[in-house]
Amino acid sequence: MTTSPASKRVKTSPPLIGTHNGHFHADEALAVYMLRLLPAYTPSTLLRTRDPTLLSSCHTVVDVGGEYDPVQNRYDHHQRTFDTTFPQKQTKLSSAGLVYLHFGKAIIAQRTGLDPESESIDILWRKLYNEFIEAIDANDNGISVYPSSETAKLEKRFNDGGITLSSLVSDLNHDFSIAVPPADDSATTATNNHDPLNPPPPSSQPSAAATDAQAAEDTRFLSASTLMGTTFLRKLHGYHTSWLPARAVVLQAYESRFQNDPQGRILVFREPTPWKDHLYTFESSSPSSSPPPNNNDNNANGEDSQLHKVLYVLYPESADLGAKWRIQAVPVSKDSFESRKPLPEAWRGVRDEELCAKSGVEGCVFVHASGFIGGNVSEKGVREMAGRAVEM
């Protein structure tokens, strides 16, 4: 970072990115990092200031300046009239959301090697916003996850505020290892001896202490930017290399689920697969949400809300030949700890031979005390567990 005069900054060949100094947040920390992922901004110089004259010399300005104009590379969201959102979303964008809106697809294509015009780019672009960027936008704009009217009477069981990325970035604003420089008594005395009607001219240059403090703050900002940026890249890598390929696998398993159970309540994978996100998507949008016409629609437990929904997912523990198998109860929602239909109460917390006796299934290994997951030594055994569980 630089604190040299504007005339020197203009001569800098790499693009100059501007943002505000002082207390920093997760949104501009991520916005700066995302820009620097693009070839056009590699390398780039960063200037942190609120001086309009200095900001006017910047190629791109984020989170400061009171202007949103992508043609001029200005991406602030603090204006009273600002109301820009991501497509099909209602959350007002922060500087991170603005940069992602305009450059996200290019960044994804650059990092993944996918065709910029492909459907996969659009799927990843929307997925990353839904699962990562939107929460940053909401946090910076003071938007709660739930309406206050719905949470007024709720009381937290524990404090989880200290484990969010935004809180970790906030922590980086403070560095108590750097002591505040003590006041210079001689300078104070000299200043007091001046004629109050003829005060000394103000210094045109910041003091050494102020320069050191700003440099330390800038370093902490870069740490925050790296924290946010590397998290973003890990998310992108996971969605690209695991989540996106799994989409086709889950769709195939979902469309063939009636082969496992007449009501389509059991999903089977041939290898460990990240299935949750895709399952809920296909359940809400897939036209094959009901069994073929020749199947019986009877619901053994009379639970209409569970009719034709997947209750259990079966998969091997690993891709190794002879791996043990798991049966997992589907949560009521992606982030819930409550299962649609936990494994039978009599099986919970029981293992091995005792579990085999209680379930009537050979090869049982365990069932968790909450009933959300269990295991068997074979696919045949785990299928039998699932077949019995759906009818109990």
Side-chain angles (χ1 to χ4, degrees):
M1 295 188 191
T2 177
T3 56
S4 56
S7 59
K8 294 184 179 180
R9 291 190 182 88
V10 173
K11 298 176 182 179
T12 305
S13 54
L16 183 58
I17 301 174
T19 189
H20 62 83
N21 60 350
H23 196 96
F24 48 82
H25 301 94
D27 69 311
E28 74 265 23
L30 178 59
V32 169
Y33 193 98
M34 288 193 294
L35 285 172
R36 287 175 150 180
L37 292 173
L38 294 165
Y41 290 90
T42 307
S44 59
T45 306
L46 178 63
L47 170 65
R48 298 182 67 243
T49 183
R50 294 184 183 274
D51 187 325
T53 302
L54 297 181
L55 289 173
S56 67
S57 70
C58 295
H59 175 278
T60 302
V61 177
V62 299
D63 208 46
V64 69
E67 183 180 8
Y68 169 44
D69 183 355
V71 174
Q72 299 298 324
N73 293 310
R74 266 43 185 173
Y75 302 100
D76 195 12
H77 66 108
H78 295 100
Q79 308 84 274
R80 289 176 60 89
T81 57
F82 181 87
D83 59 359
T84 304
T85 63
F86 195 81
Q88 300 176 337
K89 288 289 186 176
Q90 297 182 346
T91 302
K92 189 167 68 171
L93 299 181
S94 68
S95 62
L98 283 172
V99 168
Y100 187 76
L101 177 69
H102 291 280
F103 300 100
K105 288 186 177 181
I107 292 170
I108 293 169
Q110 172 74 17
R111 302 297 299 190
T112 64
L114 294 170
D115 180 352
E117 302 302 321
S118 67
E119 181 187 16
S120 294
I121 290 289
D122 187 71
I123 291 172
L124 288 172
W125 181 61
R126 294 177 185 278
K127 178 64 175 176
L128 268 168
Y129 186 79
N130 290 341
E131 302 296 330
F132 187 62
I133 304 291
E134 184 174 17
I136 298 168
D137 289 342
N139 179 271
D140 198 73
N141 285 303
I143 302 172
S144 299
V145 177
Y146 302 103
S148 57
S149 59
E150 297 181 8
T151 60
K153 296 182 179 180
L154 294 181
E155 183 176 343
K156 279 189 173 184
R157 294 175 177 172
F158 55 87
N159 181 24
D160 60 351
I163 62 172
T164 66
L165 280 172
S166 294
S167 72
L168 296 177
V169 168
S170 180
D171 291 342
L172 286 168
N173 277 279
H174 313 289
D175 187 357
F176 294 106
S177 65
I178 300 178
V180 177
D184 187 336
D185 292 336
S186 61
T188 302
T189 302
T191 301
N192 290 340
N193 286 336
H194 276 286
D195 183 349
L197 298 178
N198 297 283
S203 174
S204 60
Q205 297 294 331
S207 67
T211 300
D212 290 346
Q214 185 61 59
E217 180 187 282
D218 291 347
T219 298
R220 295 196 301 276
F221 176 84
L222 289 179
S223 295
S225 186
T226 300
L227 171 64
M228 295 301 302
T230 53
T231 303
F232 169 81
L233 290 179
R234 282 195 297 270
K235 292 283 188 183
L236 173 57
H237 177 76
Y239 292 140
H240 173 227
T241 62
S242 179
W243 178 86
L244 187 62
R247 188 171 184 266
V249 176
V250 177
L251 178 59
Q252 182 179 19
Y254 184 71
E255 291 181 337
S256 62
R257 69 195 186 284
F258 294 107
Q259 298 174 16
N260 309 315
D261 173 71
Q263 296 181 39
R265 297 168 295 181
I266 301 171
L267 208 64
V268 181
F269 296 107
R270 309 310 308 176
E271 60 184 355
T273 304
W275 52 267
K276 286 185 181 180
D277 279 358
H278 301 302
L279 174 59
Y280 297 120
T281 298
F282 295 140
E283 281 188 331
S284 64
S285 62
S286 174
S288 57
S289 58
S290 58
N294 61 335
N295 278 348
N296 190 340
D297 281 351
N298 290 336
N299 187 319
N301 295 317
E303 298 172 353
D304 293 339
S305 63
Q306 303 291 13
L307 190 61
H308 311 319
K309 284 190 174 182
V310 177
L311 301 181
Y312 300 115
V313 175
L314 316 182
Y315 54 89
E317 292 183 350
S318 70
D320 296 339
L321 187 65
K324 295 178 182 179
W325 277 67
R326 292 287 179 96
I327 174 172
Q328 185 171 348
V330 177
V332 295
S333 63
K334 186 185 69 170
D335 298 318
S336 175
F337 291 110
E338 179 184 356
S339 301
R340 289 175 174 174
K341 186 177 179 64
L343 290 166
E345 196 279 334
W347 302 0
R348 299 175 200 171
V350 185
R351 299 185 60 88
D352 304 324
E353 291 83 0
E354 183 182 359
L355 180 56
C356 293
K358 286 181 177 292
S359 65
V361 179
E362 294 183 359
C364 291
V365 178
F366 79 99
V367 168
H368 190 273
S370 68
F372 89 97
I373 197 167
N376 196 288
V377 296
S378 70
E379 178 184 356
K380 178 178 181 293
V382 86
R383 282 181 177 270
E384 288 186 22
M385 292 176 72
R388 291 173 183 262
V390 293
E391 303 298 339
M392 294 177 68

